[in-house]
Each structure stands twice: as C-alpha cells, then as structure tokens.
Amino acid sequence: MTSYSDVCHWKLVPEYGVSTPWDFSLRYKMIVGIPEGGGVGESAVEVAENEFSLLKDSSYSLFGEIVSEGERGNIDQSYYFYGVAEGDLNVTRYVFVGRVKSTAYQIVFDDRNVGNNGEMVPLSAFQNEIDKINSRMAIDLGVWVPD
C-alpha cells in the first residue's frame, strides 16, 4: 500500500462578516493500493478509518475548552469540535475530521477576531464553510480515490 499526505495552510474569508480572514489548515492522508501479500491484511479503507480515529483523538489537544462536538456531514465518517483554542482565549477554533473512502483529513479554522464584547464566532458560521468544503471533498475524493 502507498500513502500520500500533506499539510496545507491558507487564509479564508468566510461569508460570515469578519475583519480578519480565518486561518485555515488542511491535513490529509490518502491510502491507495492493496495490502502487501496479495490482499492479506488491512484494506486501504481500514487504514484510513484508523487514521480518522487518530486525527479525531489528537484534535482534543487543540482546545482549551470545547463548547460543542459531534458528528457532521454527508461523508463516510465525520466529527467536529468547536470552542476556544488551546493557549489563546481570543481564538475561536473549529476542527473537522472526515473520511471519504481511503482518505482521512482534518480541517482547522481559527478566527482571531475578538467579536462583539469578546463573543465567539457562532458555530453556524464555521459549519456553513465546512459544509461547502465537504460537499466538494465528497465529490472529488469519490471520483478520484479508488475503491
């Protein structure tokens, strides 16, 4: 089996009105091929399921306080976290962990804006952006990643 992975960072200007773009990072691992030994061992999907679990478990440490968490999305596996970033009470953080076929990924949005009276950016603002990204991820990974 072969795996491909990367971590990418961007700035995102969300539909939600903010004065400073969000920090946006994407970490992914794609598993392709069949197990060594002609099919004996874990499948690519099983390896990606394990990677999903590792990404999900490691996401807890990114928060000082988690306000909300749960499943989300129309993909094979998904989980989100929403709250205050570890080490910076002025950062509202949203982390999404997903899996489509044999690809597991983690998306982190950080809003560094101090809202009205120090309020957090609403969960719905992050979910609006993640829904758009996941819609595209489901289509692209569904087409390009082998079964």
Side-chain angles (χ1 to χ4, degrees), residues 21-142:
W22 292 348
D23 293 332
F24 170 18
S25 68
L26 168 67
R27 172 185 311 270
Y28 72 89
K29 185 170 188 177
M30 178 187 300
I31 315 300
V32 294
I34 59 172
E36 293 179 17
V40 177
E42 290 184 308
S43 70
V45 169
E46 289 170 325
V47 172
E49 288 172 343
N50 291 335
E51 185 67 23
F52 171 87
S53 294
L54 291 171
L55 288 171
K56 179 182 169 187
D57 291 346
S58 70
S59 295
Y60 286 98
S61 66
L62 301 175
F63 289 88
E65 177 187 357
I66 295 175
V67 175
S68 180
E69 64 179 292
E71 294 183 8
R72 178 150 188 102
N74 295 319
I75 56 176
D76 297 329
Q77 283 182 284
S78 66
Y79 205 83
Y80 79 89
F81 304 86
Y82 166 76
V84 178
E86 174 64 28
D88 193 342
L89 298 176
N90 292 321
V91 174
T92 305
R93 179 167 285 164
Y94 182 91
V95 175
F96 180 87
V97 180
R99 183 185 63 79
V100 175
K101 291 186 172 182
S102 62
T103 302
Y105 59 97
Q106 178 190 59
I107 294 172
V108 178
F109 291 142
D110 281 342
D111 177 86
R112 298 185 180 283
N113 297 283
V114 177
N116 296 335
N117 301 320
E119 295 174 5
M120 295 173 63
V121 171
L123 174 60
S124 60
F126 291 107
Q127 289 178 330
N128 178 54
E129 299 302 326
I130 204 69
D131 288 349
K132 291 185 287 186
I133 292 169
N134 277 333
S135 174
R136 188 64 199 206
M137 295 286 272
I139 292 168
D140 289 348
L141 293 173

